[in-house]
Amino acid sequence: MLVRAGMRTVQVIGVPDGPVPAADAVVVALKSRTSPAAEAVRESLAALRWLQDGGARQFYFKYCSTFDSTAQGNIGPVAEALLEALGSDFAIACPAFPENGRTVFRGHLFVGDELLSDSGMRHHPLTPMADANLVRVLQAQARGPVGLVRYDTVARGEAATRERFAQLRAQGVRLAVADAIGNEDLRTLAAACAGLPLLTAGSGVALGLPAVYQAQGWIQPDAAAADLPSVGGHAAVLSGSCSTATNAQVQHWLAAGRPALRIDALALAEGQPLAAQALDWAQARLAAGPVLVYATAEADRVRAVQATLGAGRAGQLVEECLAQVARGLVDLDVRRLVVAGGETSGAVVQALGARQLRIGGTIDPGVPWTQVEGRPLLLALKSGNFGTVDFFDKALAQVG
């Protein structure tokens, strides 16, 4: 969202300890959605201190556009901890991303035409979402009262939205869910938050930030911000997500007769060497074109596996296997790797020792290509629910 408006953006993996990279924006990627709340808070505060030491002027706590974390929270506790550390008393909460069908109306999150609680997210294997009322969801995680900035206020523009912020602050509200049903709402929210040290949101609100920063004299847009080098080599796809969108993407690949190999969590639990087998299978096919190695499955099968292994163990087995496959594929000269699923992406970048990514051009809204800093290796790390049905083919056609 930042790069496509000309902001040079770098993502670092995990809490960093070196100097802040030279860029207009720096993203610290933490695997904190499903970690214990205290750990998520500790890592987030460490990342905040590092960014402050590097001269950052505004901070953005980004979470998933489906607002999911654990039953114990993480979004609320982290947001409140960041507010306190910054000496601030107010921030919005807005996971809206209309380009990907995520809209917030009267505090309720929609995925396309469905309430979040009616969407495939109700079956998410790690963070199921059974409530679309974000005020209620966030209130269960927050210590202070949670407010609402309604769509009709946002539609009246920046001044009306700021006035609503002031009203909520006077009432002691520290976090307020903000409605957004279109991109113009995101731009209004970004402008209204210009003077706040902290925003909390999905990717969407970032759409409006470059214009705000340029108006403040903080940045000058760079037309080459999205440029990444050509890397050659082979290409592959790894898919661990069991979301509705990724299931459709895997089925699209299979229906086209493309080479694919499924990883079975129950077989992993039995100790079968599926990673080594997958690499032997891939080595025989990579010269002919991209391959897919996937653990993606429909909700019924996921529930059956979890009933046998437990959700945590099933997810860990799959992540570890796909991470091993990723390392092996890179050893086999794979230089363009698409990874589907947030948890899977986290496991893969850690396994590859990727500590810093240069963000490139958009494949589908919310999903860019990235380059591992200093290496001829491109990664497309896709949230499970993002991307069109032909996403894998589209991504691989963009880079060489």
Side-chain angles (χ1 to χ4, degrees):
M1 301 300 280
L2 300 176
V3 167
R4 74 187 202 184
M7 288 183 68
R8 296 171 300 115
T9 305
V10 171
Q11 176 173 315
V12 296
I13 311 301
V15 178
D17 53 13
V20 172
D24 296 315
V26 177
V27 180
V28 180
L30 302 177
K31 203 168 179 287
S32 59
R33 177 170 61 170
T34 56
S35 60
E39 180 180 330
V41 168
R42 183 171 60 253
E43 289 190 345
S44 298
L45 290 176
L48 173 67
R49 288 190 293 270
W50 180 77
L51 290 166
Q52 286 176 309
D53 290 344
R57 308 192 210 197
Q58 189 177 50
F59 304 89
Y60 192 119
F61 169 35
K62 186 270 176 191
Y63 35 71
C64 187
S65 66
T66 45
F67 210 68
D68 56 306
S69 57
T70 66
Q72 293 71 37
N74 287 16
I75 294 177
V78 169
E80 289 185 326
L82 293 173
L83 279 174
E84 291 169 6
L86 289 165
S88 184
D89 65 349
F90 183 81
I92 63 166
C94 182
F97 196 167
E99 290 181 28
N100 268 330
R102 276 57 162 176
T103 54
V104 183
F105 179 75
R106 290 184 179 267
H108 289 71
L109 179 56
F110 286 79
V111 177
D113 294 327
E114 296 180 311
L115 284 166
L116 175 68
S117 50
D118 294 331
S119 75
M121 279 302 299
R122 69 188 186 279
H123 299 308
H124 192 286
L126 297 178
T127 55
M129 294 299 290
D131 192 352
N133 185 325
L134 300 189
V135 176
R136 189 160 54 213
V137 170
L138 188 55
Q139 187 63 78
Q141 302 178 12
R143 298 194 307 273
V146 175
L148 175 63
V149 183
R150 276 183 21 173
Y151 72 98
D152 45 356
T153 298
V154 177
R156 295 206 312 271
E158 178 185 344
T161 303
R162 286 182 187 270
E163 182 180 349
R164 178 58 176 159
F165 291 176
Q167 293 170 352
L168 291 168
R169 294 167 96 162
Q171 298 167 13
V173 171
R174 295 197 296 173
L175 294 172
V177 173
D179 283 356
I181 58 177
N183 282 349
E184 193 56 39
D185 298 328
L186 300 178
R187 294 187 182 95
T188 296
L189 289 170
C193 292
L196 298 176
L198 177 68
L199 294 84
T200 91
S203 301
V205 175
L207 174 76
L209 290 178
V212 173
Y213 297 154
Q214 185 177 7
Q216 293 173 325
W218 291 2
I219 66 162
Q220 286 298 323
D222 182 352
D227 291 353
L228 296 178
S230 177
V231 295
H234 301 310
V237 181
L238 297 177
S239 180
S241 169
C242 293
S243 70
T244 301
T246 302
N247 266 288
Q249 290 155 359
V250 169
Q251 290 304 314
H252 181 82
W253 182 281
L254 296 175
R258 311 288 293 278
L261 181 70
R262 186 173 71 84
I263 299 296
D264 186 341
L266 294 176
L268 288 172
E270 294 172 356
Q272 295 186 32
L274 299 191
Q277 293 172 14
L279 289 169
D280 288 342
W281 172 87
Q283 186 171 20
R285 292 164 175 81
L286 281 169
V291 301
L292 165 67
V293 179
Y294 68 101
T296 301
E298 297 288 348
D300 289 346
R301 179 170 180 79
V302 172
R303 283 194 292 270
V305 170
Q306 289 181 337
T308 301
L309 301 178
R313 183 162 184 248
Q316 181 181 12
L317 286 168
V318 168
E319 288 175 25
E320 289 176 352
C321 177
L322 291 178
Q324 291 177 42
V325 173
R327 280 198 302 266
L329 288 173
V330 171
D331 289 341
L332 293 173
D333 199 36
V334 166
R335 295 292 176 262
R336 292 158 289 145
L337 185 61
V338 179
V339 186
E343 302 301 317
T344 305
S345 294
V348 166
V349 295
Q350 289 178 11
L352 294 177
R355 298 294 298 165
Q356 188 170 307
L357 305 175
R358 175 72 59 176
I359 308 301
T362 298
I363 304 165
D364 272 335
V367 192
W369 274 107
T370 73
Q371 179 198 2
V372 179
E373 195 71 22
R375 294 166 62 182
L377 177 60
L378 302 183
L379 303 177
L381 308 173
K382 185 190 81 73
S383 171
N385 283 296
F386 280 17
T388 56
V389 68
D390 60 345
F391 176 84
F392 298 154
D393 291 330
K394 186 187 303 181
L396 294 173
Q398 281 192 10
V399 294

